[in-house]
Amino acid sequence: MEYLLKNGIVFDPKNNIDGEQMDIFIKDGKIVENVSSDAKVLDVSGKLVMPGGVDLHSHIAGPKLSIGRLYRPEDIRRGIKPASQEDISGFEAGFSLPTCPTIGYRYTKMGYTTVTEAAVPPLEAKHAHEEINSIPNLDIPTLTLFGNNWFMLKYVKENRLDDLTYFISKWLKLAKGYGIKIVNPCGSEAWGWGKNVDGLDDPEPHWNVTGREVITALTKVNERLGLPHSVHVHTNDLGHPGNYTTTLETFDCIKDIKKNKNVERNQTMHCTHVQFHSYKGTSWRDVSSGATELIDYINKHNHLTCDIGQITFDETTTMTADAPMEYDLFRLTGLKWANKDIEVETSSGLIPSIYSKHAPVSVLQWAVGLEFFMGVTDPWKIALTTDSPNGGPFIRYPKIISWLMSQEKLQDMLNNEVHNWAVNRTNLGTYDREYTWNEIATITRASPAKILGLNDRGHLGMGAKADVSVYDIDVENFDPTLKNNSAILENKLLNSKYTIKDGEILVKDAKIVKLVKSNHIWCKVNGLEKEEEILTNRIKPEFNKYYTIKYENYGVNEHYIKPETCVDIEYGGVICENN
Amino acid sequence: MVVLFVKTINLKMIKSSSIALEFDNVLPELLYDKSLEDVKNTIIFHGNKKEAVSDYFDVNITGKSDIPDDCEIIIDGDLSRVKRIGYCMSSGKIVANGDVDFHVGACMSGGTIIVNGNAESYAGREMTGGVLRIKGNVKEFCGSSYAGDWRGMSGGKIIVEGNAGKQLAEYMVGGEIIVKGNCDILAGVHMAGGLISIDGTINQWVGGQMKKGTIIVNGKLEEMLPTFTLQEIVHNPLICGKYYIGKYELYSGDNGVKGVGSLWLKK
Ligand SMILES: [Zn+2]
């Protein structure tokens, strides 16, 4: 099928197209130079055209979601939309924990085509991939949790970097994972002993290994293997006043590790939901923003990218492999709390979270997130996230965009809506930046795609994947800087005019018109087969001793991941020819 | 006599069903300005099928109203499989002459519902305002939260003239519930506000894990939780603006959750 998207106003930061009126040609699922006269013409004159949205950190599939849905039926009852006969999509339900199909419907309607599931323990990977099979219309890479894995800890302790390399390479294949995720390294493992670690150099009680050692070892391995994405780090001490120093140390601890020369990304580390890691002070009474120091570091260094984890003032659900932190939240709020142990891989926890405009701490967190948006000068270093659903559900991205594009709106909130800690305890009030459409396209498309190392998307250059979103926004005449336009802007961005993925129209005029199966994106390293086999044979007895399942039943079989996009790389980072 | 309601919609059941009928569209605020034809065609769900009010009820209308508050809906017949009567209602009046099914008055925020019969579980759960009066008994979870939530009834008033079932007012955060009869176990558990007054005999585990709020037992309490402590004995106490005649013991708890709720017990 061929399409001609006619006369749209195109924002494609990677190819330096900043609001030009132009045509986009689509053929066989790719962006092409030209199409035949048979092409179907879609007149999008004057409308906002961007590459399909890319979310590099969200929680959309796996046991955390299932636990959440089971223990928060009250959340499932929110956001119910009955199925209608005109719609090919089914009913929607859930707010912070939507049903699997609802996740697909809502992302697609927002113009997103790629969404990363950011935390999958290998033991639960089958579960995650099965849930992906119930989410329609997206491309979904999963990040595999390694930061508290016993085999990893053992290799780090014994300084066996080669074995760790083979282990990661093999375990990504078993979990059908795309990249390395590290969550509260050593802290989640310490939770198995009822403890946490305090900062980067506090050793985990059983293995006597520190977060610093884990992060540096895994970063070295990541660059050795040449994975398309860097290590994806949720640093220690999340949500603790005073944690910004730990975050700074983490930023700094890998700066001398050389980036693999074959990868396109700039960073050797991606720090996720940095907002939650940027507080000064010693308690929730004297807490204040530590964003300025961190922003300064990010602006001065190039080995690092981050996403924000913006707070959106909702009643949402926090879910993370950082189980001791969830226990802290439980002690703070007394709300119902779920805790799960994933054997020798990680722990995890959930708790409802209510962010209110009148609660000083929520407002501080909200303002810290916005400080990063305002303060990091290069939009290619950040990506828009809410750590969905931790800071707020992903359907709030358009709302965040409406804040970023209008100082009038933001100042109005600071002056009239939110608690005074936003002004008194952060530097948010000192910024007067307003995002342009080009910058919005960067932090929601181009930058996350580049950070992830998915170079076939996030832009509309020749040969790129034909993932395009068109919004019913008349770019020339619509002024996003006006406060009165914020609600309109949010609504238009929630309901795309067209969402096109792989050259197929999935949404037309805010209605889903086609449902396709989601793609499982994973990364396969070639060239270490022999080493992996030797290592696996050594691991097996230990594995069968410590796990409740047999090694033979552990990996995710091929039939779980249909359809798939396997990113094949040679050991060392060279992308294979057939890609 | 003063005529309070100027429009009366009379629904007389002509066909009963073993599968529940969902009545959440039959509200004064949705029907006060509707014609006879419109009321007859109002959608009610019968299981997963959309059907019309007139498939099950004879409809009669007298009078006219310009605002929902001037509209009264009277429902007659075997309503024991009619669910969600007055669900999310905000104004006007509904009278149900018969036993009603689950969720009567659930999530209501205003207006009045009178049930001349018994009510199934979840009567008035999560209600925020208005008055729900039940002439018979209620089953479980009256005035409570719904599955999963920790915020139950937060406003308005429920009067139960008969007996109440288990977990009355679970997670209640505000409003008032009066039970004239007896009460089953676990009344007021997890309560965080509001007032419950029970005239009859009440079983064990009253106020378990309550954090705040007031429970008054004017009848007999069979077994007090050990995590409540006696504070004082008061004659004719004034509780939430009303005098209660007789000698009352005031307990505070539930100490197990550092609660500061008040439990008044008539001696
Ligand atoms: Zn996350």
Side-chain angles (χ1 to χ4, degrees), chain A residues 71-74 77 315 335-336 352 354, chain B residues 125-126 145-151 211:
Chain A
Y71 103 129
R72 288 207 72 191
E74 79 279 8
R77 294 196 294 274
E315 180 187 317
L335 295 176
K336 55 183 176 179
I354 303 170
Chain B
R125 56 109 175 149
E126 295 181 344
S145 68
Y146 200 35
D149 214 315
W150 60 94
R151 292 150 298 195
K211 293 219 172 82

PDB file of all heavy atoms in Angstrom, chain A residues 71-74 77 315 335-336 352 354, chain B residues 125-126 145-151 211:
ATOM      1  N   TYR A  71      -5.005  -6.223  42.825  1.00  0.00           N
ATOM      2  CA  TYR A  71      -5.215  -5.629  44.152  1.00  0.00           C
ATOM      3  C   TYR A  71      -5.736  -4.207  44.078  1.00  0.00           C
ATOM      4  O   TYR A  71      -6.007  -3.595  45.087  1.00  0.00           O
ATOM      5  CB  TYR A  71      -3.966  -5.810  45.023  1.00  0.00           C
ATOM      6  CG  TYR A  71      -3.059  -4.622  45.222  1.00  0.00           C
ATOM      7  CD1 TYR A  71      -2.664  -4.237  46.492  1.00  0.00           C
ATOM      8  CD2 TYR A  71      -2.584  -3.900  44.145  1.00  0.00           C
ATOM      9  CE1 TYR A  71      -1.826  -3.161  46.686  1.00  0.00           C
ATOM     10  CE2 TYR A  71      -1.746  -2.823  44.325  1.00  0.00           C
ATOM     11  CZ  TYR A  71      -1.368  -2.458  45.601  1.00  0.00           C
ATOM     12  OH  TYR A  71      -0.546  -1.399  45.784  1.00  0.00           O
ATOM     13  N   ARG A  72      -5.904  -3.644  42.875  1.00  0.00           N
ATOM     14  CA  ARG A  72      -6.535  -2.332  42.764  1.00  0.00           C
ATOM     15  C   ARG A  72      -7.736  -2.369  41.818  1.00  0.00           C
ATOM     16  O   ARG A  72      -7.759  -1.655  40.812  1.00  0.00           O
ATOM     17  CB  ARG A  72      -5.535  -1.287  42.272  1.00  0.00           C
ATOM     18  CG  ARG A  72      -4.490  -0.905  43.313  1.00  0.00           C
ATOM     19  CD  ARG A  72      -3.981   0.508  43.084  1.00  0.00           C
ATOM     20  NE  ARG A  72      -4.988   1.488  43.443  1.00  0.00           N
ATOM     21  CZ  ARG A  72      -4.893   2.793  43.149  1.00  0.00           C
ATOM     22  NH1 ARG A  72      -3.869   3.262  42.490  1.00  0.00           N
ATOM     23  NH2 ARG A  72      -5.850   3.631  43.501  1.00  0.00           N
ATOM     24  N   PRO A  73      -8.739  -3.190  42.111  1.00  0.00           N
ATOM     25  CA  PRO A  73      -9.912  -3.191  41.240  1.00  0.00           C
ATOM     26  C   PRO A  73     -10.550  -1.806  41.149  1.00  0.00           C
ATOM     27  O   PRO A  73     -11.190  -1.478  40.162  1.00  0.00           O
ATOM     28  CB  PRO A  73     -10.846  -4.211  41.895  1.00  0.00           C
ATOM     29  CG  PRO A  73     -10.361  -4.365  43.286  1.00  0.00           C
ATOM     30  CD  PRO A  73      -8.899  -4.096  43.246  1.00  0.00           C
ATOM     31  N   GLU A  74     -10.335  -0.985  42.180  1.00  0.00           N
ATOM     32  CA  GLU A  74     -10.919   0.356  42.141  1.00  0.00           C
ATOM     33  C   GLU A  74     -10.281   1.198  41.043  1.00  0.00           C
ATOM     34  O   GLU A  74     -10.898   2.141  40.544  1.00  0.00           O
ATOM     35  CB  GLU A  74     -10.808   1.027  43.515  1.00  0.00           C
ATOM     36  CG  GLU A  74      -9.454   1.611  43.875  1.00  0.00           C
ATOM     37  CD  GLU A  74      -8.454   0.564  44.389  1.00  0.00           C
ATOM     38  OE1 GLU A  74      -8.761  -0.632  44.317  1.00  0.00           O
ATOM     39  OE2 GLU A  74      -7.366   0.959  44.840  1.00  0.00           O
ATOM     40  N   ARG A  77     -11.897   0.208  37.695  1.00  0.00           N
ATOM     41  CA  ARG A  77     -13.230   0.793  37.493  1.00  0.00           C
ATOM     42  C   ARG A  77     -13.173   2.226  36.992  1.00  0.00           C
ATOM     43  O   ARG A  77     -14.191   2.781  36.576  1.00  0.00           O
ATOM     44  CB  ARG A  77     -14.030   0.745  38.813  1.00  0.00           C
ATOM     45  CG  ARG A  77     -14.368  -0.644  39.277  1.00  0.00           C
ATOM     46  CD  ARG A  77     -15.463  -0.630  40.336  1.00  0.00           C
ATOM     47  NE  ARG A  77     -15.076   0.004  41.574  1.00  0.00           N
ATOM     48  CZ  ARG A  77     -14.448  -0.604  42.586  1.00  0.00           C
ATOM     49  NH1 ARG A  77     -14.135  -1.880  42.494  1.00  0.00           N
ATOM     50  NH2 ARG A  77     -14.147   0.052  43.683  1.00  0.00           N
ATOM     51  N   GLU A 315      -4.160  10.357  41.127  1.00  0.00           N
ATOM     52  CA  GLU A 315      -4.094   9.182  41.980  1.00  0.00           C
ATOM     53  C   GLU A 315      -3.650   8.037  41.097  1.00  0.00           C
ATOM     54  O   GLU A 315      -4.376   7.615  40.201  1.00  0.00           O
ATOM     55  CB  GLU A 315      -5.462   8.861  42.586  1.00  0.00           C
ATOM     56  CG  GLU A 315      -5.368   7.620  43.470  1.00  0.00           C
ATOM     57  CD  GLU A 315      -6.725   7.153  43.964  1.00  0.00           C
ATOM     58  OE1 GLU A 315      -7.546   7.998  44.361  1.00  0.00           O
ATOM     59  OE2 GLU A 315      -6.948   5.930  43.944  1.00  0.00           O
ATOM     60  N   LEU A 335      -1.009   3.281  52.892  1.00  0.00           N
ATOM     61  CA  LEU A 335      -1.931   2.707  51.909  1.00  0.00           C
ATOM     62  C   LEU A 335      -1.565   1.240  51.638  1.00  0.00           C
ATOM     63  O   LEU A 335      -0.485   0.784  51.998  1.00  0.00           O
ATOM     64  CB  LEU A 335      -1.875   3.504  50.608  1.00  0.00           C
ATOM     65  CG  LEU A 335      -2.378   4.943  50.714  1.00  0.00           C
ATOM     66  CD1 LEU A 335      -2.188   5.689  49.409  1.00  0.00           C
ATOM     67  CD2 LEU A 335      -3.845   4.969  51.114  1.00  0.00           C
ATOM     68  N   LYS A 336      -2.491   0.530  51.004  1.00  0.00           N
ATOM     69  CA  LYS A 336      -2.258  -0.904  50.801  1.00  0.00           C
ATOM     70  C   LYS A 336      -1.035  -1.132  49.916  1.00  0.00           C
ATOM     71  O   LYS A 336      -0.827  -0.447  48.929  1.00  0.00           O
ATOM     72  CB  LYS A 336      -3.496  -1.563  50.215  1.00  0.00           C
ATOM     73  CG  LYS A 336      -4.005  -0.924  48.933  1.00  0.00           C
ATOM     74  CD  LYS A 336      -5.274  -1.611  48.484  1.00  0.00           C
ATOM     75  CE  LYS A 336      -5.858  -0.934  47.267  1.00  0.00           C
ATOM     76  NZ  LYS A 336      -7.064  -1.591  46.801  1.00  0.00           N
ATOM     77  N   PRO A 352      -0.458   2.323  45.912  1.00  0.00           N
ATOM     78  CA  PRO A 352      -1.124   3.478  45.304  1.00  0.00           C
ATOM     79  C   PRO A 352      -0.409   4.760  45.725  1.00  0.00           C
ATOM     80  O   PRO A 352       0.182   4.812  46.800  1.00  0.00           O
ATOM     81  CB  PRO A 352      -2.537   3.443  45.897  1.00  0.00           C
ATOM     82  CG  PRO A 352      -2.718   2.082  46.446  1.00  0.00           C
ATOM     83  CD  PRO A 352      -1.348   1.611  46.836  1.00  0.00           C
ATOM     84  N   ILE A 354      -0.908   9.082  45.687  1.00  0.00           N
ATOM     85  CA  ILE A 354      -1.816  10.195  45.408  1.00  0.00           C
ATOM     86  C   ILE A 354      -1.015  11.489  45.388  1.00  0.00           C
ATOM     87  O   ILE A 354      -0.516  11.931  46.418  1.00  0.00           O
ATOM     88  CB  ILE A 354      -2.934  10.266  46.469  1.00  0.00           C
ATOM     89  CG1 ILE A 354      -3.683   8.934  46.522  1.00  0.00           C
ATOM     90  CG2 ILE A 354      -3.900  11.407  46.156  1.00  0.00           C
ATOM     91  CD1 ILE A 354      -4.635   8.800  47.691  1.00  0.00           C
TER      92      ILE A 354
ATOM     93  N   ARG B 125     -23.275   2.296  49.112  1.00  0.00           N
ATOM     94  CA  ARG B 125     -21.809   2.258  49.217  1.00  0.00           C
ATOM     95  C   ARG B 125     -21.211   3.447  48.463  1.00  0.00           C
ATOM     96  O   ARG B 125     -21.711   3.866  47.432  1.00  0.00           O
ATOM     97  CB  ARG B 125     -21.248   0.933  48.695  1.00  0.00           C
ATOM     98  CG  ARG B 125     -21.634   0.559  47.265  1.00  0.00           C
ATOM     99  CD  ARG B 125     -20.493   0.655  46.291  1.00  0.00           C
ATOM    100  NE  ARG B 125     -20.921   0.166  44.978  1.00  0.00           N
ATOM    101  CZ  ARG B 125     -20.429   0.643  43.843  1.00  0.00           C
ATOM    102  NH1 ARG B 125     -19.545   1.604  43.832  1.00  0.00           N
ATOM    103  NH2 ARG B 125     -20.846   0.159  42.691  1.00  0.00           N
ATOM    104  N   GLU B 126     -20.181   3.989  49.027  1.00  0.00           N
ATOM    105  CA  GLU B 126     -19.468   5.134  48.460  1.00  0.00           C
ATOM    106  C   GLU B 126     -20.364   6.330  48.208  1.00  0.00           C
ATOM    107  O   GLU B 126     -20.088   7.161  47.347  1.00  0.00           O
ATOM    108  CB  GLU B 126     -18.738   4.731  47.165  1.00  0.00           C
ATOM    109  CG  GLU B 126     -17.637   3.704  47.421  1.00  0.00           C
ATOM    110  CD  GLU B 126     -16.860   3.267  46.198  1.00  0.00           C
ATOM    111  OE1 GLU B 126     -17.338   3.502  45.084  1.00  0.00           O
ATOM    112  OE2 GLU B 126     -15.783   2.679  46.379  1.00  0.00           O
ATOM    113  N   SER B 145     -17.050   0.889  51.232  1.00  0.00           N
ATOM    114  CA  SER B 145     -16.394   1.147  49.954  1.00  0.00           C
ATOM    115  C   SER B 145     -16.699  -0.033  49.050  1.00  0.00           C
ATOM    116  O   SER B 145     -17.256  -1.028  49.489  1.00  0.00           O
ATOM    117  CB  SER B 145     -14.895   1.275  50.161  1.00  0.00           C
ATOM    118  OG  SER B 145     -14.371   0.011  50.526  1.00  0.00           O
ATOM    119  N   TYR B 146     -16.299   0.078  47.787  1.00  0.00           N
ATOM    120  CA  TYR B 146     -16.447  -1.062  46.891  1.00  0.00           C
ATOM    121  C   TYR B 146     -15.101  -1.758  46.792  1.00  0.00           C
ATOM    122  O   TYR B 146     -14.071  -1.187  47.161  1.00  0.00           O
ATOM    123  CB  TYR B 146     -16.939  -0.583  45.517  1.00  0.00           C
ATOM    124  CG  TYR B 146     -17.572  -1.678  44.681  1.00  0.00           C
ATOM    125  CD1 TYR B 146     -18.323  -2.693  45.258  1.00  0.00           C
ATOM    126  CD2 TYR B 146     -17.418  -1.684  43.290  1.00  0.00           C
ATOM    127  CE1 TYR B 146     -18.898  -3.689  44.493  1.00  0.00           C
ATOM    128  CE2 TYR B 146     -18.000  -2.672  42.511  1.00  0.00           C
ATOM    129  CZ  TYR B 146     -18.734  -3.682  43.123  1.00  0.00           C
ATOM    130  OH  TYR B 146     -19.303  -4.662  42.366  1.00  0.00           O
ATOM    131  N   ALA B 147     -15.108  -2.975  46.270  1.00  0.00           N
ATOM    132  CA  ALA B 147     -13.922  -3.821  46.278  1.00  0.00           C
ATOM    133  C   ALA B 147     -12.658  -3.036  45.929  1.00  0.00           C
ATOM    134  O   ALA B 147     -12.586  -2.376  44.906  1.00  0.00           O
ATOM    135  CB  ALA B 147     -14.104  -4.967  45.287  1.00  0.00           C
ATOM    136  N   GLY B 148     -11.664  -3.119  46.784  1.00  0.00           N
ATOM    137  CA  GLY B 148     -10.365  -2.517  46.514  1.00  0.00           C
ATOM    138  C   GLY B 148     -10.190  -1.150  47.115  1.00  0.00           C
ATOM    139  O   GLY B 148      -9.116  -0.795  47.562  1.00  0.00           O
ATOM    140  N   ASP B 149     -11.237  -0.355  47.140  1.00  0.00           N
ATOM    141  CA  ASP B 149     -11.053   1.029  47.570  1.00  0.00           C
ATOM    142  C   ASP B 149     -11.010   1.138  49.087  1.00  0.00           C
ATOM    143  O   ASP B 149     -11.553   0.307  49.796  1.00  0.00           O
ATOM    144  CB  ASP B 149     -12.163   1.922  47.008  1.00  0.00           C
ATOM    145  CG  ASP B 149     -11.625   3.313  46.688  1.00  0.00           C
ATOM    146  OD1 ASP B 149     -10.882   3.866  47.525  1.00  0.00           O
ATOM    147  OD2 ASP B 149     -11.926   3.834  45.605  1.00  0.00           O
ATOM    148  N   TRP B 150     -10.338   2.177  49.566  1.00  0.00           N
ATOM    149  CA  TRP B 150     -10.227   2.388  51.002  1.00  0.00           C
ATOM    150  C   TRP B 150     -10.973   3.661  51.411  1.00  0.00           C
ATOM    151  O   TRP B 150     -10.704   4.243  52.421  1.00  0.00           O
ATOM    152  CB  TRP B 150      -8.761   2.461  51.413  1.00  0.00           C
ATOM    153  CG  TRP B 150      -8.007   3.565  50.741  1.00  0.00           C
ATOM    154  CD1 TRP B 150      -7.793   4.815  51.228  1.00  0.00           C
ATOM    155  CD2 TRP B 150      -7.371   3.536  49.457  1.00  0.00           C
ATOM    156  NE1 TRP B 150      -7.071   5.564  50.338  1.00  0.00           N
ATOM    157  CE2 TRP B 150      -6.801   4.809  49.249  1.00  0.00           C
ATOM    158  CE3 TRP B 150      -7.234   2.555  48.463  1.00  0.00           C
ATOM    159  CZ2 TRP B 150      -6.102   5.129  48.070  1.00  0.00           C
ATOM    160  CZ3 TRP B 150      -6.543   2.890  47.316  1.00  0.00           C
ATOM    161  CH2 TRP B 150      -5.983   4.149  47.121  1.00  0.00           C
ATOM    162  N   ARG B 151     -11.912   4.083  50.566  1.00  0.00           N
ATOM    163  CA  ARG B 151     -12.712   5.257  50.873  1.00  0.00           C
ATOM    164  C   ARG B 151     -14.185   4.911  50.650  1.00  0.00           C
ATOM    165  O   ARG B 151     -14.650   4.820  49.519  1.00  0.00           O
ATOM    166  CB  ARG B 151     -12.293   6.432  49.982  1.00  0.00           C
ATOM    167  CG  ARG B 151     -10.892   6.919  50.310  1.00  0.00           C
ATOM    168  CD  ARG B 151     -10.182   7.491  49.127  1.00  0.00           C
ATOM    169  NE  ARG B 151      -9.981   6.511  48.061  1.00  0.00           N
ATOM    170  CZ  ARG B 151      -9.130   6.690  47.054  1.00  0.00           C
ATOM    171  NH1 ARG B 151      -8.422   7.781  46.956  1.00  0.00           N
ATOM    172  NH2 ARG B 151      -9.010   5.769  46.117  1.00  0.00           N
ATOM    173  N   LYS B 211      -9.777   4.207  62.491  1.00  0.00           N
ATOM    174  CA  LYS B 211      -8.783   5.254  62.744  1.00  0.00           C
ATOM    175  C   LYS B 211      -9.426   6.481  63.359  1.00  0.00           C
ATOM    176  O   LYS B 211      -8.848   7.151  64.204  1.00  0.00           O
ATOM    177  CB  LYS B 211      -8.115   5.649  61.423  1.00  0.00           C
ATOM    178  CG  LYS B 211      -7.257   4.542  60.837  1.00  0.00           C
ATOM    179  CD  LYS B 211      -5.994   5.112  60.221  1.00  0.00           C
ATOM    180  CE  LYS B 211      -5.009   4.044  59.804  1.00  0.00           C
ATOM    181  NZ  LYS B 211      -5.321   3.452  58.505  1.00  0.00           N
TER     182      LYS B 211
END
